Amino acid sequence: MVKKYLQTAFRSLQKNKFYSGTNILGLTVGLWACMIVASIVINDLSYDKQWSRSNDLYRIVTINKMGDGLYDRFASSFAGLAPELKKKYPEVEAYSQFDAGPLRLKLTDDNANGFEVNSLSADTSAWQMLDIQPVAGNPGKFVDGSLNLIVSTSFKNKYFSGENPVGKIIYDVPSFQEKANQYLITGVMNDLPSNTHLRAEVLIVKKPGAEVLNKEQYGTFSQNYLLMQPGTDIKLFAKKVNDWYKGFIGSDKYYQFEFQPMKDIYLNSDFARYQKVKGNIQHIYVFSGVALLLLLIACVNFINLSTARVTARLRETGVRKILGASRLQIIFQFLSEAVLFFLISTSLAMVLYQISLKPVEDYLGYALEETFTSRINLLLPAVGFIFVISLFTGFYPAWLMSGFKPASVIKGKLFTGASYGQYWLRKSLVVLQFTISIAVLLAMIVVKQQVLFMDKKEIGYNKNNLLSIGSISWDGKGNAFKNELLRVPGVEDACLTTWLPASGAGYMSREVDNPDHPGTRMTVWYISAETNLAKTLGLKLNDGRLLSKDYASDIISEDSLMQLSATEYNKVSETRAAIVTESTAKLLHIDKLNVPVSNVKVVPVGIVKDFHNESLKSKIGPVIIIGSNSLEYGGMLVRTAPGNEKKVSAALQKLWMQFYPDKFLDTNWVDDMLAGQYKSEASLQQLFLFFSILTMMLAALGVFGLIVHTAGERVKEIGIRKVLGASVVSIVRLLSADFIKLVFVAILIATPLVSWLMSKWLQEFAYRITMSWWMFAFAGSIAIFIALITISFQSIKAAVANPVKSLRTE
């Protein structure tokens, strides 16, 4: 019986090739896009769930309360905390420090820049916590006296093809050591999965540190992870730890700790400033919604295009009923056609899906571990889901076309009574399609405008022609290198600095009482640099003077301060000259210059206009710039003359090899670094553009189905009008008017919806655009234009048809 229905459905598909092709096209595009988006969503949701002990793995998160409900969270804790918890609480089974980040390696000591890989630094306890699978060597045995390196199979195949790397020595390209470090390869492991925030190609193994937890709340901060005993109540454990730590410190001002589940880290770590691999839970919601909307539009298209064929197929249905077919049999017949359409479309979508996976992975920058073609446990539910959707989608056209009375059909009375009453539903579906399309297009416009706003907004300094050299140890040669660099033609200025754009708010911070809100605290950031930082950046002076090396108070060495006792340190630091920003002076109530400000331990000598030391997602806060003439660690900002970028870059490379032949030269143009802060927003805008094109195309197919249906229904009316002298233009206007009204209705629905949703999204940014009327007008105009193009095609075809053929049966 099923075979018979499918054979009949296939013959029907062949008879109506145009409608069938349009239906298959819409479903294929919708299913393909839905599968791609669903793969990204499923993959993001799978992060760090593949570890066998994932339910028992937690990261220690430190909370620094500042009063009045304000607090700062960071994804690190004292290095001595994890071992202390292991000794004190039986719930802690193991601990390890994990630090993921880029590492530059070279196979030989004479290779200058080497190559960059993702690395994971961990201690020997990592074997208990992660499912690391060795395939060569004995990586579980730590070799004393050397940095131990475990490489992945992909690393081995790429750099040691055909040979065993175990026992070989390779080198890094250091930034903070004068000479390259040696790494002993002690083993080869299977590739770590890409769906982990600890993504890495090599594993640096070290012995657990022996740092003791300090009651004065000083010490090294590191990324500490705990393996808890199965079934541990983590909330109760956190309470016990915080109660104990409060007593341990013996003060009301103490850090508190949270324990973040490993499975939540990737999507819920906005606070983790230095975590490289992290997602965005809001993007998951957006992508999930878009995937469902794309599938919905594809199904709506199928319904509209199927019901548009009513006119052509009612006589066939009437004849079947006269010959004894029941309504149920006819419904099964049309459902089998729907299943066949979805089967063909799903097959084509799977082919497109497989072809597009590699470009999608290249765009994302990492492999998708969870795909429909690599996981049978994903493919089978997806196929089952599509089958159910095909039945639900095909039911309405089947029910509609099986419900006509044979006598009415044979007489040509097609749209009377209840059958004609279904017409409103098809119009509603078109409104739904265009509402979704306009909403996605509007979202794309808003995101694009926000990205452009962030790119073009004045940030308080000149970001153009400004080159950044990444932080390194200068080994006592920083000033000499800078002086030689200033001799290069095209270099206007250069400055050693601890702060670089897009690298954080400053090199250190201090919490001070908020004068405007007693009982609360605020964070003041410090930037330490040579005295010409303001000149190099192009900061504008409002009052007082800039720092100068001619004043001893302007260039106090940070290293010399660190050698003093706490009392001497405070005394000297309170005489240290500094320049502050406008907002800093306002927040700290700095009314007079050259007067010490005790709570921030500086003497302001100048006030500059505000500049953004962080991204535009953060509001400008208090910033203090202090001078130093002997920076041993940090980066460099180089101001170049316009048009000399290539010459300066080439000269810089040559000069670097003379001073630091073993170190990696990390250079970036500041405008590129600032744009990189908004990479996720730029990607979101590109994805919305892609989605808007798809949704508009599918909506156009839906309108096409309805206009075909309308033209078929009114074919005799059109013929009579033409006989009575109606022009082609008037007939096109007649057929188009109702559909343009539908688009206007969609605009009215989409406008408040998107306005509310995107205002929520924009709240993530401290500095943001205001949605303007032209955005809605532009999106609406695009929708109307596409609708007109689609409608005109079929309307003109109906208007120029020979009226004699239309009226032949009358």
Side-chain angles (χ1 to χ4, degrees), residues 355-368 679 683:
I355 293 172
S356 56
L357 266 182
K358 185 63 169 65
V360 168
E361 290 178 336
D362 291 341
Y363 174 78
L364 295 172
Y366 57 86
L368 294 174
K679 183 179 178 181
S683 298

Side-chain angles (χ1 to χ4, degrees), residues 494-795:
C495 174
L496 294 169
T497 173
T498 58
W499 170 84
L500 295 171
S503 64
Y507 88 106
M508 64 168 275
S509 64
R510 174 177 279 122
E511 289 176 37
V512 301
D513 292 327
N514 190 332
D516 294 324
H517 301 281
T520 66
R521 310 272 284 173
M522 62 181 178
T523 302
V524 178
W525 284 98
Y526 291 77
I527 293 174
S528 176
E530 291 187 303
T531 54
N532 64 329
L533 175 67
K535 177 175 176 288
T536 305
L537 286 174
L539 300 180
K540 296 177 182 178
L541 182 66
N542 270 6
D543 193 13
R545 65 174 178 85
L546 298 177
L547 297 176
S548 171
K549 60 184 179 181
D550 296 331
Y551 295 86
S553 62
D554 290 10
I555 51 174
I556 296 176
S557 169
E558 192 69 30
D559 291 336
S560 64
L561 281 176
M562 298 305 294
Q563 297 174 8
L564 301 176
S565 66
T567 303
E568 292 172 328
Y569 178 90
N570 290 331
K571 184 177 179 180
V572 174
S573 63
E574 287 177 358
T575 65
R576 189 173 197 173
I579 56 177
V580 299
T581 61
E582 287 177 297
S583 58
T584 306
K586 183 178 179 180
L587 287 168
L588 296 177
H589 294 184
I590 299 174
D591 301 319
K592 295 181 180 179
L593 296 178
N594 301 303
V595 176
V597 182
S598 59
N599 57 347
V600 291
K601 301 186 183 304
V602 295
V603 179
V605 297
I607 300 175
V608 295
K609 284 188 175 292
D610 285 337
F611 70 97
H612 290 274
N613 59 320
E614 294 185 274
S615 78
L616 295 176
K617 293 181 180 180
S618 302
K619 194 172 183 179
I620 287 179
V623 180
I624 294 174
I625 300 175
I626 53 179
S628 178
N629 66 343
S630 58
L631 287 176
E632 285 300 312
Y633 301 95
M636 181 181 289
L637 291 172
V638 182
R639 174 70 64 187
T640 67
N644 288 270
E645 293 85 358
K646 290 185 178 179
K647 291 180 181 178
V648 170
S649 295
L652 177 59
Q653 291 277 354
K654 185 176 179 180
L655 187 63
W656 187 266
M657 290 303 297
Q658 296 176 17
F659 279 82
Y660 304 103
D662 294 320
K663 292 190 176 184
F664 173 63
L665 175 59
D666 180 20
T667 59
N668 293 281
W669 293 101
V670 168
D671 52 356
D672 292 333
M673 294 170 65
L674 294 175
Q677 295 179 113
Y678 315 113
K679 183 179 178 181
S680 63
E681 286 74 26
S683 298
L684 186 63
Q685 180 253 318
Q686 293 171 350
L687 288 170
F688 269 129
L689 176 61
F690 171 70
F691 293 145
S692 64
I693 292 172
L694 285 182
T695 54
M696 279 294 177
M697 185 184 79
L698 292 173
L701 283 175
V703 170
F704 179 79
L706 199 54
I707 189 64
V708 168
H709 172 82
T710 302
E713 176 191 351
R714 304 177 69 175
V715 63
K716 290 182 174 59
E717 176 192 346
I718 295 170
I720 293 172
R721 287 179 180 273
K722 289 198 68 176
V723 169
L724 295 176
S727 66
V728 172
V729 174
S730 66
I731 293 173
V732 170
R733 189 185 303 118
L734 174 71
L735 293 174
S736 304
D738 286 345
F739 297 99
I740 298 303
K741 291 177 184 177
L742 298 180
V743 179
F744 274 110
V745 172
I747 293 171
L748 292 175
I749 296 173
T751 297
L753 178 64
V754 175
S755 179
W756 177 74
L757 288 174
M758 296 313 295
S759 65
K760 293 288 186 183
W761 178 78
L762 287 170
Q763 287 176 6
E764 292 183 15
F765 302 89
Y767 303 90
R768 51 186 178 266
I769 63 169
T770 300
M771 284 181 283
S772 180
W773 66 268
W774 71 263
M775 300 178 185
F776 302 95
F778 180 76
S781 300
I782 293 293
I784 291 170
F785 175 75
I786 290 174
L788 279 174
I789 293 295
T790 306
I791 293 166
S792 298
F793 173 78
Q794 187 64 26
S795 297

Side-chain angles (χ1 to χ4, degrees), residues 371-433:
T371 66
F372 292 108
T373 52
S374 66
R375 295 281 192 272
I376 192 69
N377 60 325
L378 291 178
L379 179 61
L380 293 180
V383 172
F385 177 73
I386 292 173
F387 175 73
V388 172
I389 290 294
S390 70
L391 294 179
F392 275 102
T393 305
F395 180 77
Y396 171 70
W399 175 80
L400 176 65
M401 285 188 277
S402 65
F404 293 105
K405 296 180 180 180
S408 299
V409 171
I410 299 300
K411 291 177 181 179
K413 298 178 179 179
L414 306 180
F415 298 98
T416 58
S419 60
Y420 186 75
Q422 305 298 324
Y423 191 51
W424 71 269
L425 181 58
R426 291 191 290 276
K427 285 190 174 182
S428 300
L429 293 176
V430 171
V431 170
L432 175 62
Q433 286 180 305

